[in-house]
Amino acid sequence: MKALIPAAGYGTRFLPASKTVPKEMLPVGAKPAIQLIVEEALAAGADEVVIVTSPDKPSLKRHFDVDAVWHARCAKKPEIDAELTRLEEIGRRIRWTLQTEQRGLGHAVLQAADLLAGETDPVLILLGDALVSGQAPSADMAAISRAFGGASVVGLEQVPLEKVSRYGIVAGTPAPEAPVPEAADRVLRLSDLVEKPAPEAAPSRLAIAGRYLLDPAIFGLLATQTPGHGGEIQLTDAIRRLLSTHAAYGYRYPGRRHDIGNPQGYFETLQAFQAPR
Ligand code: UTP
């Protein structure tokens, strides 16, 4: 399985901090958010991670690079030095590509199409500003996809009715044969998606929540996707088109999603993780 992390957005909701510190580099304990997300992807079975970043954010790649100077500085601190070595091993499994114009999430995903050309298995997409506390959803999503013959799966969270207009909201029917232990009621067969609906038009309160496992046909659809909400190329719009040809499931995962892309969400993330180091 290949993973893809879009991490090229402007991060305007976190200005002025995000002028020089990309939101994906905000620390949660001693690790930046992007490292935790890469680790989630690898733990779920990804053998390679593609990160889409922007020329304004060189620190993301630098974080995973081999750095002899830091090893020399940590020569007398073997535990920290081993941590740096482990980080570099993770770095060897990452490939990088750039989004030079910020035209939306769907456009960011499209920038990885060349690197993932020829892929036949679904690609795990993890938003670079979304962390999940508690049980990470990606491994469960991979299991659900396998059980349904390699179908697409999107991670879901239930949101209050007054907030549905901020999210992509799904319609679907329960999939009782779902393979997630004690969680059959958490899996839906999707019938439709609506991007940012008014509360009275929302088919449910289940919002797409930061994790996707999508058939690679998504890249062809994104290449022809016209701009949607906000004039941006929306991933949700392309997934909606994917639904007409490919089966897709939604997984209301048990972990809690946190948006580190704004100060309040970041504060809540730190409280939820309480990382010791
Ligand atoms: P957001 O919509 O939350 O990111 O995208 P943003 O545009 O950076 O945020 P604001 O509104 O300006 O504060 C979710 C994820 O998609 C990436 C972001 O980096 C984030 O990880 N993204 C978004 C891109 O890679 N490119 C884009 O053009 C937009």
Side-chain angles (χ1 to χ4, degrees):
M1 181 170 72
K2 307 294 180 213
L4 193 179
I5 305 177
Y10 286 135
T12 51
R13 288 168 299 149
F14 224 129
L15 285 170
S18 51
K19 273 181 84 178
T20 54
V21 182
K23 57 184 172 178
E24 296 85 359
M25 287 303 291
L26 291 170
V28 179
K31 296 177 183 175
I34 188 84
Q35 184 179 340
L36 294 173
I37 295 169
V38 170
E39 288 176 351
E40 177 183 331
L42 297 176
D47 55 7
E48 190 174 77
V49 180
V50 174
I51 298 183
V52 181
T53 183
S54 95
D56 291 343
K57 298 184 176 183
S59 57
L60 270 74
K61 180 168 183 308
R62 236 186 118 189
H63 176 71
F64 293 95
D65 278 348
V66 175
D67 193 327
V69 173
W70 277 111
H71 281 296
R73 286 174 187 155
C74 294
K76 291 186 181 145
K77 296 174 180 160
E79 276 174 32
I80 298 178
D81 193 52
E83 186 83 8
L84 293 179
T85 302
R86 205 179 73 78
L87 174 61
E88 291 163 3
E89 280 159 10
I90 293 173
R92 285 190 197 96
R93 295 165 75 177
I94 302 177
R95 290 201 288 164
W96 298 86
T97 189
L98 293 175
Q99 183 192 30
T100 52
E101 278 180 283
Q102 276 48 47
R103 294 176 57 201
L105 173 59
H107 182 256
V109 170
L110 181 59
Q111 306 315 301
D114 286 348
L115 288 181
L116 296 171
E119 219 30 63
T120 50
D121 291 334
V123 175
L124 176 65
I125 301 175
L126 308 93
L127 296 194
D129 62 357
L131 287 176
V132 180
S133 60
Q135 195 181 321
S138 296
D140 280 352
M141 289 169 60
I144 294 167
S145 172
R146 279 193 299 274
F148 288 117
S152 299
V153 181
V154 297
L156 301 173
E157 70 174 341
Q158 186 143 313
V159 298
L161 190 60
E162 64 273 17
K163 290 191 179 165
V164 290
S165 56
R166 297 185 195 175
Y167 300 97
I169 301 291
V170 303
T173 49
E177 73 277 32
V180 185
E182 298 168 25
D185 64 329
R186 293 183 174 276
V187 182
L188 294 181
R189 165 104 191 211
L190 299 188
S191 55
D192 202 2
L193 291 179
V194 192
E195 181 65 13
K196 302 189 171 62
E200 58 280 10
S204 74
R205 291 199 288 130
L206 294 172
I208 302 181
R211 299 289 183 269
Y212 314 71
L213 187 55
L214 297 179
D215 189 281
I218 197 71
F219 293 113
L221 295 169
L222 284 168
T224 57
Q225 188 62 50
T226 49
H229 192 270
E232 297 190 333
I233 309 287
Q234 297 288 353
L235 181 60
T236 313
D237 293 342
I239 299 173
R240 187 159 194 250
R241 288 164 64 212
L242 185 73
L243 282 183
S244 63
T245 49
H246 292 72
Y249 293 82
Y251 174 46
R252 189 168 56 80
Y253 56 74
R256 217 174 117 223
R257 188 266 284 259
H258 306 276
D259 180 2
I260 58 154
N262 66 82
Q264 179 64 32
Y266 178 53
F267 182 67
E268 287 166 14
T269 307
L270 295 181
Q271 288 179 314
F273 276 77
Q274 297 189 347
R277 215 184 73 73

